Amino acid sequence: MSADRIGIIGGGIVGVALARELATTGAGEVTVLEKESRLAAHQTGHNSGVVHAGLYYKPGSLKATLCAAGRVSIREFCEEKGLPYREVGKLVVAVDETELPALAEIQRRSIENRVPDLVRIDDVGRIREIEPHVAGVAAVHSPHTASVDYAAITEAMAQDVRAAGGHILLHSEVTGIHLENGAVRVVTPSGEHVFDRVIACAGLQSDVVAQLVGADPSPRILPFRGEYWELAPERGDLVRGMIYPVPDPRFPFLGVHFTRGVYDDIHVGPNAVPALAREGYGWLRISPKDTMASLRWPGAWPLAKQHWRMGVDEISGSLIKPLYYRKARRFIPELRMSDLTAKTSAGVRAQAWGRAGELLDDFAVDQVGPVTVLRNAPSPAATSSIAIAQYVIEHYLSRARA
């Protein structure tokens, strides 16, 4: 393995974690190709900064397994590098009795996933001890759910890659991938690179990169934008840690919640609205090509038929602040609409979906000869990034060598 030339497509946290794992273990000469002018420019740098403990995920799934391992690895990495890591805790709140069965399911999954020190709370007084301003009849509390700065973590990982002799090339968008005589020729505007093996971690562009190497067009990436409102700093006492809803099993997204970040900012969100471009961080960012590609996909109409009511609700909340505020106020009755000061950030989630309209929930990887393509890396991918890197190396790179 020591002589292998290994290319990583994508400079988000998963791609850089893979590069770090390979470079620091002497697996070969590692080069990261990132199309933007900086690392962590998309999903990694636009998420909520939460280190998830594994409450929601189906027991036995890759999500659950890699989240558990990844949480420990991220904490240890932050300790090693002196990066901020704050265990602010997460309270998942059942606002009324109709949500108790779903809360019990979250508790069951958490126990099976061995979420550390999870507690079920049915005493409203005890709930208020953790979050004094929250409204609810029951909750589960995950005290070790944490906040971090994933962009800073990615940069620290990149420093390790460079220190180990690896290369990180910015402004290097991949426009072609060609398999030639057992090697992989990767084309960028600035030149060509020849590798023995390639791993693509392209996030919002993962299906585009997959098709460059001849992989199945499915799953396709459907971009969903999540918008965050900032809570006024003078009202920061309304939220001590993180306040999350009980997820509605009918819908694929979690819903609006409150998160105290690693730098003490508190954001409210995200919602989930269809983005009109793969990198559409606002309503004015429109790509007719991306939009038409989504509408022409065979899964578009089955998905719309199943979730159109949710779509109308989410779009309305995005465009009409009082509707967004009403969702947030369910959890904190003292919240005033003026407390939501501005939409400070937005992220775009690379949601993979199949031909029949099904949304992929777990990690998905394709192998095309010496090229490994990460097709779906949903949340908690940032939490799990180091564990994902180790998993891909163990389960796919050996196959690529054959």
Side-chain angles (χ1 to χ4, degrees), residues 134 318 374 379:
V134 78
S318 171
L374 193 58
S379 178

Side-chain angles (χ1 to χ4, degrees), residues 128-142:
R128 289 294 184 92
E129 288 178 11
I130 298 170
E131 289 287 355
H133 302 280
V134 78
V137 297
V140 294
H141 184 230
S142 169

Side-chain angles (χ1 to χ4, degrees), residues 125-247:
R126 172 64 182 135
I127 293 173
R128 289 294 184 92
E129 288 178 11
I130 298 170
E131 289 287 355
H133 302 280
V134 78
V137 297
V140 294
H141 184 230
S142 169
H144 298 296
T145 297
S147 289
V148 295
D149 181 342
Y150 280 120
I153 291 172
T154 304
E155 287 292 345
M157 289 179 174
Q159 291 176 14
D160 286 350
V161 174
R162 296 185 183 102
H167 308 281
I168 295 180
L169 305 182
L170 304 176
H171 303 286
S172 298
E173 180 177 5
V174 172
T175 57
I177 302 175
H178 307 280
L179 307 183
E180 298 175 346
N181 300 319
V184 187
R185 181 166 57 89
V186 177
V187 181
T188 74
S190 58
E192 297 185 358
H193 307 267
V194 177
F195 302 110
D196 298 299
R197 290 178 291 168
V198 167
I199 311 169
C201 308
L204 289 160
Q205 307 292 340
S206 61
D207 55 341
V208 175
V209 173
Q211 290 184 67
L212 290 178
V213 76
D216 194 313
S218 182
R220 195 173 187 91
I221 293 300
L222 177 64
F224 276 95
R225 184 172 65 256
E227 302 161 329
Y228 295 92
W229 283 83
E230 182 180 10
L231 186 68
E234 63 271 19
R235 296 284 279 169
D237 62 335
L238 291 176
V239 181
R240 287 183 174 176
M242 304 179 193
I243 301 171
Y244 272 57
V246 175

Side-chain angles (χ1 to χ4, degrees), residues 43 203-208 217-226 252-253 272-280 289-304 307 310-311 347-355 357-360 375-376 378:
Q43 290 184 105
L204 289 160
Q205 307 292 340
S206 61
D207 55 341
V208 175
S218 182
R220 195 173 187 91
I221 293 300
L222 177 64
F224 276 95
R225 184 172 65 256
F253 301 111
V273 298
L276 300 179
R278 285 176 184 265
E279 296 161 8
K289 178 182 176 182
D290 291 348
T291 302
M292 290 307 299
S294 293
L295 292 175
R296 289 171 177 162
W297 184 244
W301 298 114
L303 180 68
H307 294 299
M310 182 198 73
V348 180
R349 170 178 173 171
Q351 175 62 60
W353 59 331
R355 289 184 176 86
E358 72 279 15
L359 298 179
L360 273 68
R375 299 297 298 264
N376 192 41

Side-chain angles (χ1 to χ4, degrees), residues 236-314:
D237 62 335
L238 291 176
V239 181
R240 287 183 174 176
M242 304 179 193
I243 301 171
Y244 272 57
V246 175
D248 188 329
R250 296 174 299 170
F251 303 129
F253 301 111
L254 186 58
V256 170
H257 44 277
F258 296 78
T259 302
R260 180 174 289 276
V262 72
Y263 302 119
D264 258 347
D265 54 313
I266 298 173
H267 45 262
V268 185
N271 56 1
V273 298
L276 300 179
R278 285 176 184 265
E279 296 161 8
Y281 296 102
W283 282 112
L284 299 180
R285 179 71 181 272
I286 300 172
S287 167
K289 178 182 176 182
D290 291 348
T291 302
M292 290 307 299
S294 293
L295 292 175
R296 289 171 177 162
W297 184 244
W301 298 114
L303 180 68
K305 182 179 180 181
Q306 183 177 1
H307 294 299
W308 71 269
R309 288 185 177 86
M310 182 198 73
V312 170
D313 182 60
E314 292 291 311

